[in-house]
Amino acid sequence: MNRATTHRVRLGLAGLGRMGQLHAANLAGRVPSAKLVRVVDADEDVARAAADRLGVQWSTSFDDLLADPELEGVVVATPTPSHAELVARAAAAGKHVFCEKPIANDVEATVRAIEATTEAGVKLQVGFHRRFDPDYAAATARIKAGELGDVYLFRTSLRDKQSPSIHYIAASGGFFVDVTIHDLDTARWLVGEIDEVTAFGAALSDPAFAEIGDVDNAVVALRFATGALGVIDNSRTAGYGYECSTEVMGSKATVRIGHHRRSHTQWLTPGSASVDWVDDFTERYPQAYVLELEDFAAAVRDDRPPAVTGEDALAALTLARACDRSMREGRTVRLSHEQTATEIAYAGREVDRARVR
Ligand SMILES: NC(=O)c1ccc[n+]([C@@H]2O[C@H](COP(=O)([O-])OP(=O)(O)OC[C@H]3O[C@@H](n4cnc5c(N)ncnc54)[C@H](O)[C@@H]3O)[C@@H](O)[C@H]2O)c1
């Protein structure tokens, strides 16, 4: 077999929390094109325990990852406020980067991080895992092939069973930047560019959300550039389980995406039938989280562009910030965007020319 297709890209991982532990476990055995060699966490006990479990080297210093000359790329799964700096440092050290979403909480830092990777000539992929979910990917392929016809309506729900800690929320960039950003990326991917957002939010489950100026439930109305309409509903506090479901209605067909079951059994008892329901994103998307890292490693190995780019992250962040502004100012926010031969830009270097009216 060709060495180029058997080469396993040597990766390090920073941040071993909810997301990093999942990525590390995947990289240590389920991602054929990658080899995890080092992990880093600010907490020494966490780093050592993960390294022992996974049989890799550990450190509390990101510099130790960057100093390894054999390391080809890094996976950044630290808290959001640290991403942009770590991406830029990794790029300066010549390492390719997979960064969890969002790259940063604000547009300027996102642009600086993207520019750092462009200048260094390294690849940057962002963790919009839904793009690698087999159900979403199959639906998107059929929409893009024209099977749905003209899109009239887009509807999507992303609901967590229970909220992460208020400590996490406080550093997350706010509800739209942390949660809705996934749906905004999905909307762009399935339907196309977005011209208008109108957002409503409320802190309903716990006064702690309002105390830090955030919300725990939200609804966003969208108007796409094609004229199609969309609705996003999001919750941190669904209670019954984790839900991520999407519907796109078109002139020729309607597609519904969303399975939420661990098993395919139904319990039938007098007067009722019940099915099980997933608890969180790790149960809903086991394949997507593996496939996004496999695609990143393959992009590095084969020297091709990643499937989800920094520009995708910038576009979704700009839309998320617009949602936040819409909610706080109580009005619709219009966005302009520019299509170039290779990318769509809402903000940033190209974005200087874009306006949020
Ligand atoms: N794609 C998804 O579905 C998804 C889901 C959850 C979280 N995320 C993203 O993943 C990122 C991490 O979220 P989380 O929930 O895993 O956070 P977390 O708080 O559970 O874990 C963060 C970890 O990073 C460590 N850390 C902090 N600063 C560090 C540094 N400078 N260097 C090394 N380690 C450091 C902490 O000790 C902790 O172990 C966030 O950006 C979040 O938006 C993505």
Side-chain angles (χ1 to χ4, degrees):
M1 202 186 289
N2 183 345
R3 186 199 169 277
T5 56
T6 55
H7 173 67
R8 295 175 70 196
V9 174
R10 292 168 64 88
L11 298 177
L13 180 141
L16 288 159
R18 281 188 311 165
M19 203 60 234
Q21 294 283 358
L22 178 66
H23 284 323
N26 285 336
L27 285 170
R30 302 185 193 104
V31 181
S33 296
K35 181 175 174 56
L36 182 68
V37 291
R38 284 177 178 273
V39 292
V40 167
D41 196 280
D43 184 321
E44 182 176 329
D45 292 341
V46 169
R48 187 189 293 112
D52 288 350
R53 201 169 53 251
L54 301 168
V56 300
Q57 299 179 65
W58 68 273
S59 168
T60 55
S61 161
F62 192 64
D63 285 333
D64 288 344
L65 283 187
L66 304 186
D68 181 341
E70 296 199 341
L71 210 72
E72 295 165 82
V74 297
V75 173
V76 174
T78 55
T80 297
S82 61
H83 289 182
E85 189 207 325
L86 298 187
V87 169
R89 282 168 61 196
K95 312 296 185 196
H96 302 286
V97 188
F98 177 99
C99 181
E100 258 312 331
K101 49 54 65 174
I103 294 176
N105 290 336
D106 64 273
V107 166
E108 294 71 23
T110 303
V111 170
R112 280 200 301 276
I114 294 171
E115 285 180 347
T117 59
T118 307
E119 279 158 20
V122 298
K123 300 183 196 310
L124 171 63
Q125 182 170 327
V126 177
F128 289 136
H129 61 277
R130 218 181 285 175
R131 293 199 185 210
F132 296 88
D133 174 68
D135 294 341
Y136 275 91
T140 305
R142 291 182 68 170
I143 293 172
K144 290 195 190 307
E147 289 186 50
L148 198 121
D150 296 331
V151 175
Y152 298 150
L153 281 178
F154 167 86
R155 180 203 60 72
T156 198
S157 300
L158 176 54
R159 304 174 188 164
D160 284 321
K161 180 178 183 180
Q162 61 199 23
S163 175
S165 70
I166 206 74
H167 174 73
Y168 171 91
I169 306 269
S172 71
F175 191 86
F176 299 104
V177 166
D178 191 49
V179 179
T180 316
I181 198 163
H182 284 292
D183 290 316
L184 294 164
D185 179 65
T186 299
R188 290 186 64 241
W189 181 44
L190 266 66
V191 181
E193 301 310 332
I194 295 166
D195 277 355
E196 282 184 16
V197 299
T198 311
F200 301 87
L204 301 172
S205 69
D206 186 334
F209 287 96
E211 281 160 20
I212 60 166
D214 206 350
V215 298
D216 55 9
N217 286 269
V219 175
V220 181
L222 308 172
R223 190 188 299 277
F224 290 89
T226 58
L229 301 175
V231 182
I232 299 172
D233 80 72
N234 294 147
S235 179
R236 291 214 188 262
T237 55
Y240 61 85
Y242 175 83
E243 174 157 2
C244 184
S245 58
T246 301
E247 179 175 22
V248 189
M249 194 186 89
S251 56
K252 294 192 208 161
T254 292
V255 61
R256 290 184 180 164
I257 314 156
H259 75 85
H260 298 95
R261 293 167 59 181
R262 301 183 189 99
S263 75
H264 296 280
T265 53
Q266 274 189 351
W267 279 95
L268 306 177
T269 50
S272 81
S274 64
V275 297
D276 66 339
W277 198 280
V278 293
D279 251 13
D280 62 18
F281 51 86
T282 66
E283 286 193 339
R284 168 61 184 88
Y285 287 112
Q287 289 167 288
Y289 289 118
V290 169
L291 291 172
E292 65 176 352
L293 291 173
E294 172 60 19
D295 206 62
F296 171 65
V300 170
R301 183 196 59 208
D302 301 341
D303 193 20
R304 61 165 170 79
V308 192
T309 64
E311 283 73 24
D312 290 319
L314 182 58
L317 176 77
T318 305
L319 287 161
R321 303 285 331 167
C323 291
D324 191 77
R325 187 169 165 190
S326 168
M327 176 189 73
R328 291 182 196 284
E329 297 181 4
R331 64 186 181 88
T332 296
V333 173
R334 288 208 176 82
L335 299 109
S336 63
H337 40 80
E338 295 185 13
Q339 180 85 58
T340 67
T342 54
E343 67 191 41
I344 179 82
Y346 285 89
R349 201 157 36 188
E350 314 260 339
V351 166
D352 293 342
R353 279 171 277 143
R355 302 175 302 281
V356 178
R357 295 193 290 263

